[in-house]
Amino acid sequence: MIENTFGMNIIPDNDIERLSALKRYRIMDTPSEASFDNIAKLCTQIFNVPISLVSLVDAERVFFKANVGMGNAKEANRGKSLCALAVLSDDVTVFEDALKEPCLMANPNVAGDFGLRFYAGAPLITYDGFLIGTLCIIDKKARSFSEKEKTILAGMATAIMDQVELRLSALDEIDKHLGLSKQADEQREEIYAMNEELTATNEELRESQEELIASANSLANVNEELAASNEELVVSQIELQNSIEEIEASAETLRMITDNMPQLAWMADGTGSIYWYSQRWFDYTGTTLSDMVGWGWQKVHHPDHVQRVTEKVSYHFNNGIVWEDIFPLKGSDGEYRWFLSRAIPSKNEKGEVIRWFGTNTDITDQRKLEQQKDDFLSIASHELKTPITSLKASLQLLDKIKDKEYSSMHIRLIEQSNRSMEKMSVLVDELLNIHRLTDGHLHLNKTTFTIAEMLDLCCNHVRVAGKHELVFSGDKDLQIHADEHRVDQVVVNFVNNAVKYAPDSKEIYLIVEKLDGFAKVSVKDTGPGIAPEKLPYIFDRYYRADHSGQAYNGLGLGLYISAEIIKKHDGQIGVESELGKGSTFWFTLPR
Ligand code: ADP
């Protein structure tokens, strides 16, 4: 509270700013300092006064930063201190005799015991113009104060103010240092905090690291297990691959065997239901697995046989015994061929049939050959029987007249016997030939001879019979190196056939041609000829073309033997024939 004793406004308009200016010097209530005390002391000496003060005017009080002559007083009420008046003007405020100053009449320092008479106060002016206090001198007696003294006091006030500023700078400097050190402290603190954080993080890191190591270890274990499993897997895979390869190899082997063996093959389960056929089966029957699976095979069986076959095979399947049967199967061309079929059971350790492996062997040609052989035997017997019967009759008649006088009858019967014998001899020769040929015992005795000469000598029996004329044409001098006897046999066979199958062909032509590296011999008749569909079989064993309505003797071996002889010479044999025009049988031999 200000106890204003001056009867006038002592608060300047800018007091708030002034107070904040004062405040910034951080000087209020600080202990006395020699620098200020010294100036105050100096003032008392210069001006010869008992009291000198450095006063700082606060909001309600005046603080004495330096006090010379006022005892222990530290401060005074702003309303009672004359300094409150001195900070109202930039000039030095001077009261030479206070008792004469109306505004000071009521002032206790003037009116009271202290008995202040003289006051001169120079304002302490900040660099920015605020009057924050005074340097004043006080005396208890009235005195005069010259302009010069005023100037000195003002100068001293300036010195005080310089000190105040200096002090502030020092404080600021200290603060700065303090600030810096504070900053350093803070930084240190921060570093400590960080360190701690940092330490904490380390701990965390260590824990994480440990966890990581543990994870890595368990991962390594898992990895190892995985690697082991992987290895096992790889091994299993390799084994599997090997097994697959083995199975594939077995399947391939089975396929190769079944594809290359002449038989058709198939497999059935324990009940006899077929689930696999070899390619040959499909190739022959022209069917597919879906057609044939199970009991589908019945579709390619002959209706006359299927029931019997089914019954028999079912019986064998049911009883687990080897099955064998012969029956025809329909080919993709619709033709039936005969098959010898077998199936063997494959059993498990309990003796149960788990699979059947079956084959069908095409025996059509074999059956045909057997049939031909049978036919041949009956023909051969028949052929032999005729001359034998004739010979027997001749001999019986001879026996009857053996004691009778030798007559023409004897001669006829002997001749007849001879002819029968000759026929039998030819037949036996043919049979021997075929035997030798089939056993591979045909040996060639080669010489060089002129073909025309050979032809001239052969077939005299035809010339003698006089029914046919043998007409020679071609190269008379052509020579070959061959078995003359065997080649002669071929020519005789051709000529005999011409005589036999073309009886009305008056001329039989014998033609010799010289070809590039070959000699070609042809026997041509102008007989009935041979049907084109029969030509491909004409050189087959036992083959005899059917000359409808006409019965010809023969074994169906002549042309077969001829072909074998020519082939043995590395030559070729063939026939050109046209029905109603005649036939030309030919062979070639290397020269
Ligand atoms: P074979 O005369 O004993 O029957 P071949 O093998 O000599 O046996 O003759 C086979 C078949 O060829 C004869 O059955 C006959 O039908 C036919 N053939 C052979 N030569 C002639 C020919 N010149 N003219 C017509 N058919 C012939």
Side-chain angles (χ1 to χ4, degrees):
M1 255 290 272
I2 299 172
E3 296 170 38
N4 192 344
T5 60
F6 303 110
M8 58 180 286
N9 181 21
I10 56 167
I11 306 299
D13 292 341
N14 65 351
D15 204 50
I16 289 170
E17 293 82 4
R18 191 194 66 80
L19 285 172
S20 76
L22 170 64
K23 206 173 174 192
R24 76 179 175 223
Y25 290 103
R26 288 184 285 147
I27 197 165
M28 294 299 284
D29 299 320
T30 57
S32 57
E33 290 169 46
S35 52
F36 296 102
D37 289 347
N38 289 340
I39 294 173
K41 239 179 230 160
L42 199 64
C43 282
T44 56
Q45 288 163 2
I46 292 167
F47 299 109
N48 192 31
V49 289
I51 298 160
S52 177
L53 300 170
V54 175
S55 311
L56 297 163
V57 181
D58 201 358
E60 293 183 359
R61 61 188 179 121
V62 175
F63 168 69
F64 305 136
K65 177 62 188 169
N67 172 3
V68 177
M70 282 279 283
N72 293 327
K74 285 282 176 208
E75 60 180 27
N77 191 291
R78 184 176 176 179
K80 291 180 184 171
S81 171
L82 274 68
C83 294
L85 299 176
V87 294
L88 295 177
S89 161
D90 289 348
D91 284 338
V92 178
T93 300
V94 178
F95 299 111
E96 289 183 336
D97 185 356
L99 289 177
K100 291 176 183 169
E101 301 295 330
C103 63
L104 299 180
M105 293 295 204
N107 184 280
N109 291 315
V110 178
D113 291 342
F114 186 74
L116 184 148
R117 285 287 179 274
F118 171 77
Y119 177 91
L124 300 176
I125 304 168
T126 65
Y127 66 91
D128 49 354
F130 291 106
L131 281 57
I132 58 167
T134 63
L135 170 65
C136 65
I137 48 173
I138 292 167
D139 203 347
K140 290 184 180 181
K141 23 178 211 192
R143 54 170 285 174
S144 60
F145 201 63
S146 66
E147 280 304 308
K148 194 180 172 185
E149 283 172 318
K150 270 190 191 177
T151 308
I152 292 167
L153 188 64
M156 298 299 266
T158 306
I160 289 288
M161 202 55 222
D162 286 345
Q163 198 58 40
V164 170
E165 294 285 358
L166 206 66
R167 185 181 171 281
L168 181 63
S169 302
L171 279 179
D172 282 347
E173 199 61 27
I174 289 164
D175 278 1
K176 209 165 119 190
H177 282 294
L178 281 176
L180 276 177
S181 69
K182 198 181 169 195
Q183 210 177 319
D185 283 349
E186 276 170 9
Q187 279 179 354
R188 204 172 304 119
E189 288 279 308
E190 250 174 62
I191 287 165
Y192 286 154
M194 267 166 68
N195 246 1
E196 249 170 56
E197 243 175 61
L198 268 168
T199 314
T201 312
N202 260 356
E203 187 63 25
E204 274 170 35
L205 265 174
R206 200 181 52 73
E207 277 170 22
S208 308
Q209 217 168 12
E210 264 168 36
E211 270 173 39
L212 265 174
I213 289 166
S215 307
N217 280 346
S218 59
L219 211 72
N221 288 343
V222 172
N223 253 1
E224 247 170 61
E225 275 170 35
L226 267 174
S229 314
N230 222 19
E231 238 168 70
E232 273 172 38
L233 213 72
V234 168
V235 169
S236 314
Q237 230 167 4
I238 289 170
E239 280 173 0
L240 197 76
Q241 186 60 33
N242 287 345
S243 306
I244 290 171
E245 272 170 25
E246 270 173 39
I247 291 168
E248 278 174 353
S250 306
E252 177 64 15
T253 309
L254 185 69
R255 198 183 61 74
M256 264 174 60
I257 292 170
T258 55
D259 281 1
N260 288 295
M261 70 184 197
Q263 286 92 349
L264 317 180
W266 44 268
M267 279 195 271
D269 63 17
T271 69
S273 174
I274 300 184
Y275 59 85
W276 174 85
Y277 288 92
S278 67
Q279 189 53 43
R280 271 183 183 261
W281 173 281
F282 298 121
D283 291 346
Y284 172 69
T285 58
T287 60
T288 60
L289 182 63
S290 55
D291 288 335
M292 292 289 109
V293 76
W295 295 76
W297 50 264
Q298 289 168 319
K299 290 174 203 160
V300 293
H301 273 248
H302 196 283
D304 293 350
H305 294 264
V306 67
Q307 195 187 340
R308 179 190 64 76
V309 171
T310 305
E311 281 170 10
K312 187 174 175 183
V313 79
S314 301
Y315 175 79
H316 284 256
F317 281 160
N318 291 337
N319 291 286
I321 44 176
V322 174
W323 167 74
E324 199 173 293
D325 204 350
I326 293 175
F327 45 76
L329 288 175
K330 191 158 75 177
S332 57
D333 56 359
E335 297 290 320
Y336 284 91
R337 289 179 73 82
W338 284 84
F339 287 85
L340 165 67
S341 302
R342 277 174 64 83
I344 49 165
S346 165
K347 296 179 180 177
N348 62 15
E349 58 277 4
K350 288 186 211 158
E352 297 159 343
V353 177
I354 49 163
R355 191 179 303 116
W356 289 88
F357 187 75
T359 54
N360 309 85
T361 309
D362 189 341
I363 54 163
T364 311
D365 293 342
Q366 209 174 309
R367 274 172 68 95
K368 210 158 129 191
L369 216 61
E370 272 167 20
Q371 184 63 46
Q372 285 174 333
K373 229 174 199 169
D374 287 349
D375 292 351
F376 165 72
L377 279 177
S378 70
I379 290 165
S381 331
H382 181 76
E383 290 286 314
L384 280 169
K385 199 161 173 65
T386 311
I388 285 171
T389 312
S390 167
L391 179 64
K392 200 174 162 188
S394 302
L395 288 175
Q396 276 174 345
L397 282 172
L398 269 176
D399 189 48
K400 272 189 185 168
I401 61 167
K402 68 176 185 286
D403 298 328
K404 292 200 177 159
E405 196 182 333
Y406 190 71
S407 65
S408 60
M409 181 68 142
H410 286 91
I411 296 166
R412 225 176 51 237
L413 287 173
I414 289 168
E415 279 176 359
Q416 208 172 308
S417 301
N418 269 335
R419 275 203 301 276
S420 298
M421 273 302 293
E422 185 58 30
K423 272 191 178 173
M424 277 160 58
S425 167
V426 168
L427 282 168
V428 169
D429 268 357
E430 275 198 15
L431 288 172
L432 282 174
N433 270 331
I434 189 84
H435 176 71
R436 282 195 199 113
L437 283 173
T438 48
D439 277 9
H441 288 138
L442 181 70
H443 292 296
L444 300 180
N445 185 16
K446 288 187 180 177
T447 55
T448 301
F449 60 92
T450 309
I451 300 171
E453 283 173 12
M454 181 203 73
L455 294 177
D456 208 30
L457 292 173
C458 90
C459 306
N460 270 336
H461 62 288
V462 178
R463 291 189 184 90
V464 170
K467 266 193 82 180
H468 300 273
E469 192 188 341
L470 297 178
V471 182
F472 178 87
S473 67
D475 195 326
K476 280 196 182 101
D477 306 315
L478 189 60
Q479 290 196 320
I480 48 163
H481 186 73
D483 186 325
E484 186 173 357
H485 174 67
R486 293 292 175 192
V487 175
D488 180 86
Q489 196 183 332
V490 175
V491 176
V492 169
N493 197 32
F494 283 181
V495 172
N496 279 350
N497 276 350
V499 168
K500 192 160 45 166
Y501 299 108
D504 300 331
S505 173
K506 222 179 135 10
E507 283 94 18
I508 296 169
Y509 301 95
L510 305 175
I511 308 149
V512 176
E513 291 167 275
K514 187 178 173 182
L515 300 178
D516 200 15
F518 286 92
K520 185 176 181 181
V521 179
S522 306
V523 175
K524 180 178 183 296
D525 67 60
T526 51
I530 304 160
E533 69 273 13
K534 291 175 181 169
L535 284 176
Y537 309 104
I538 217 87
F539 293 96
D540 287 358
R541 189 155 43 155
Y542 311 128
Y543 186 82
R544 306 199 68 226
D546 174 39
H547 296 268
S548 46
Q550 304 198 42
Y552 294 100
N553 294 337
L555 298 174
L557 290 172
L559 288 180
Y560 171 72
I561 291 166
S562 302
E564 290 300 310
I565 290 168
I566 297 302
K567 271 191 251 165
K568 191 89 183 172
H569 278 89
D570 295 323
Q572 287 188 324
I573 194 163
V575 59
E576 278 112 39
S577 186
E578 208 179 322
L579 280 176
K581 289 204 169 165
S583 311
T584 302
F585 283 85
W586 57 264
F587 62 85
T588 62
L589 291 170
R591 286 197 287 120

